[in-house]
Amino acid sequence: MLRVLCGTVSTVTYRYKTVQHQLPRASRSSVCSKMPSCWLIREDGTHAPLLLHHLKTLVLGRGPETKIKDQKCSREQVELRADCNKGYVTVKQLGVNPSSVDSVTVGKGNQVTVRPGQRLHMVNQLYAYTVKFSEDTIAPKASKHRSEINQRSKRPLSEVEEDTAEPAPPHKDPAPPHKDPALHQNATVNSASPPKKAAPTSDKPQPAGHWSQGLKVSMQDPKMQVYKDERVVVIRDKYPKARYHWLVLPWQSVSSLKVLQAEHRDLLQHMQHVGEQMIQKCPDAARLKFRLGYHAIPSMSHIHLHVISQDFDSPCLKNKKHWNSFTTDYFINSEDVIRMLETEGRVSVREGTEELLKQPLRCHICHREQNTIPQLKQHLTTHLHTPTH
DNA sequence: GTTCTAGAAC
DNA sequence: GTTCTAGAAC
């Protein structure tokens, strides 16, 4: 975990000096120390965790550090100050639009604290951050990683990454596009055009513009793409049901599990591999469990592999159908789908699968039944630090 | 897939 | 009274 964090640390500009200049001697040469440190972690992974130094003030807002381009967010939106001994970060709202902690507005000029487990939204309930304190020693390998990251940051930015680009209009999407560098040597993010699509495998056609065709639109939108290669594209789920929720879609038109044949095996294997790489690049990978799989009877056309963290900590998770679609056998593991293709040449969905969506709410970790969605969500917070893997 | 909202549940 | 669900509409 820490190796990952350390490996992706960004140098951020403090109000007066850069971090590098402010670091104590031990930390200046390397971040590998036993000094308590605090990390500000962007939940959707849009940028690397930022190091908050003990009792040093850091002002953040719209800018390259956060990659926030939303005009509603001030360039100096919040002032942060970590107290590593006491284990909290004070947040002062400087901007005019609301910053919030756990959905409670801070208010301009006001100051509140944010602790691990709480969520800071930079502005308008968007751009979620959490804080993490640590005293752990960071692996020496990290310094190499950091230099790699620094090198990477010197590369020319792709079109949508340029800070000079038009600011994105304010949107309700809780997970703005991720502009991570390419995951693979031959793969690019937001650059190459997709190859021409193969002919649709087969499915009942829905009129274009119907809601069920939405993924086909999203996957072609460069702003939605977080990864792409010659065979697949990854987008962030528009309504994520957990802190991390990506969809891996093939360029090739495959309507659903129903049309899969043995010849699709390699494609599905690649989709899973790309999903696993997304997890590997996730700053929270070490402390979160993930699952990769398909909904047995998806609502949206165009086959899509869900890559979803098992915290299910998301305001978009609202009802029993949402919950059961990810925590019952309605969710079929990617490897099971691939195995079925190998052994049977097709993917069979058991009769009565749809009924699984109506099952009572049951915690996916301890299996205790919960009466309502709010109760379930409250219950899930008790597992926030439960080791799940 | 989501949003909206009537009415059930509390 | 409020909270929450579930079905219709999109």
Side-chain angles (χ1 to χ4, degrees), chain A residues 177-192 194 218-236 246-251 270-279 281:
Chain A
H178 180 49
K179 285 108 188 177
D180 208 10
L183 286 165
H184 186 273
Q185 276 186 327
N186 299 323
T188 57
V189 174
N190 299 334
S191 55
S218 296
M219 66 183 276
Q220 301 289 345
D221 180 355
K223 290 196 285 294
M224 301 290 284
Q225 298 164 350
V226 292
Y227 168 85
K228 62 184 172 186
D229 62 26
E230 68 280 4
R231 283 191 280 176
V232 302
V233 60
V234 182
I235 60 174
R236 217 182 302 283
W246 297 288
L247 304 178
V248 185
L249 306 104
W251 292 120
H270 182 63
M271 288 167 69
Q272 181 177 321
H273 175 70
V274 167
E276 284 163 350
Q277 286 210 298
M278 293 301 297
I279 298 168
K281 294 279 171 183

Side-chain angles (χ1 to χ4, degrees), chain A residues 251-354:
Chain A
W251 292 120
Q252 181 186 349
S253 180
V254 180
S255 59
S256 72
L257 293 180
K258 285 186 289 185
V259 305
L260 288 177
Q261 297 177 353
E263 68 207 47
H264 292 109
R265 181 195 166 280
D266 284 353
L267 177 62
L268 267 65
Q269 195 91 63
H270 182 63
M271 288 167 69
Q272 181 177 321
H273 175 70
V274 167
E276 284 163 350
Q277 286 210 298
M278 293 301 297
I279 298 168
Q280 226 171 47
K281 294 279 171 183
C282 170
D284 286 340
R287 69 183 174 101
L288 291 176
K289 187 187 175 191
F290 281 79
R291 283 185 74 191
L292 299 92
Y294 299 85
H295 280 155
I297 309 164
S299 303
M300 306 295 281
S301 188
H302 202 101
I303 197 165
H304 50 284
L305 171 68
H306 291 271
V307 181
I308 182 166
S309 57
Q310 297 297 293
D311 51 271
F312 295 112
D313 176 18
S314 167
C316 298
L317 196 153
K318 292 177 178 174
N319 58 47
K320 184 178 270 188
K321 185 177 174 179
H322 292 156
W323 179 254
N324 284 334
S325 72
F326 287 102
T327 59
T328 68
D329 288 344
Y330 194 91
F331 190 85
I332 311 175
N333 288 325
S334 172
E335 50 191 37
D336 293 336
V337 168
I338 293 169
R339 196 176 302 128
M340 269 190 262
L341 272 187
E342 286 169 347
T343 57
E344 300 168 42
R346 59 188 282 270
V347 178
S348 50
V349 171
R350 283 196 208 105
E351 212 172 306
T353 298
E354 201 150 13

Side-chain angles (χ1 to χ4, degrees), chain A residues 69-280:
Chain A
K69 294 176 180 172
D70 185 342
Q71 293 282 359
K72 300 284 183 189
C73 185
S74 168
R75 289 182 193 279
E76 296 191 340
Q77 180 63 33
V78 292
E79 183 183 274
L80 305 172
R81 187 168 176 266
D83 189 326
C84 295
N85 294 329
K86 293 177 180 165
Y88 59 72
V89 176
T90 54
V91 179
K92 185 176 183 183
Q93 181 186 319
L94 305 177
V96 65
N97 288 316
S99 301
S100 54
V101 174
D102 284 349
S103 301
V104 178
T105 298
V106 179
K108 188 172 181 185
N110 295 335
Q111 189 170 295
V112 299
T113 60
V114 57
R115 296 171 183 274
Q118 292 187 295
R119 182 181 278 163
L120 164 68
H121 281 104
M122 192 63 80
V123 74
N124 290 337
Q125 297 291 331
L126 295 168
Y127 319 111
Y129 288 86
T130 53
V131 298
K132 179 181 167 63
F133 290 88
S134 174
E135 290 186 11
D136 299 21
T137 303
I138 294 159
K141 207 175 173 182
S143 58
K144 180 183 172 230
H145 281 219
R146 188 172 55 160
S147 69
E148 282 171 3
I149 294 292
N150 289 342
Q151 283 301 314
R152 230 186 268 164
S153 68
K154 287 174 191 165
R155 288 185 200 155
L157 294 163
S158 67
E159 192 180 334
V160 296
E161 289 177 299
E162 285 176 15
D163 293 323
T164 50
E166 283 293 304
H171 54 77
K172 289 183 178 177
D173 189 342
H178 180 49
K179 285 108 188 177
D180 208 10
L183 286 165
H184 186 273
Q185 276 186 327
N186 299 323
T188 57
V189 174
N190 299 334
S191 55
S193 298
K196 282 178 185 171
K197 283 196 211 172
T201 317
S202 88
D203 204 11
K204 292 169 194 167
Q206 284 282 357
H210 187 266
W211 58 262
S212 66
Q213 306 301 302
L215 287 180
K216 294 177 185 172
V217 178
S218 296
M219 66 183 276
Q220 301 289 345
D221 180 355
K223 290 196 285 294
M224 301 290 284
Q225 298 164 350
V226 292
Y227 168 85
K228 62 184 172 186
D229 62 26
E230 68 280 4
R231 283 191 280 176
V232 302
V233 60
V234 182
I235 60 174
R236 217 182 302 283
D237 194 296
K238 195 173 176 185
Y239 299 93
K241 304 301 185 292
R243 291 181 185 177
Y244 299 93
H245 188 180
W246 297 288
L247 304 178
V248 185
L249 306 104
W251 292 120
Q252 181 186 349
S253 180
V254 180
S255 59
S256 72
L257 293 180
K258 285 186 289 185
V259 305
L260 288 177
Q261 297 177 353
E263 68 207 47
H264 292 109
R265 181 195 166 280
D266 284 353
L267 177 62
L268 267 65
Q269 195 91 63
H270 182 63
M271 288 167 69
Q272 181 177 321
H273 175 70
V274 167
E276 284 163 350
Q277 286 210 298
M278 293 301 297
I279 298 168
Q280 226 171 47

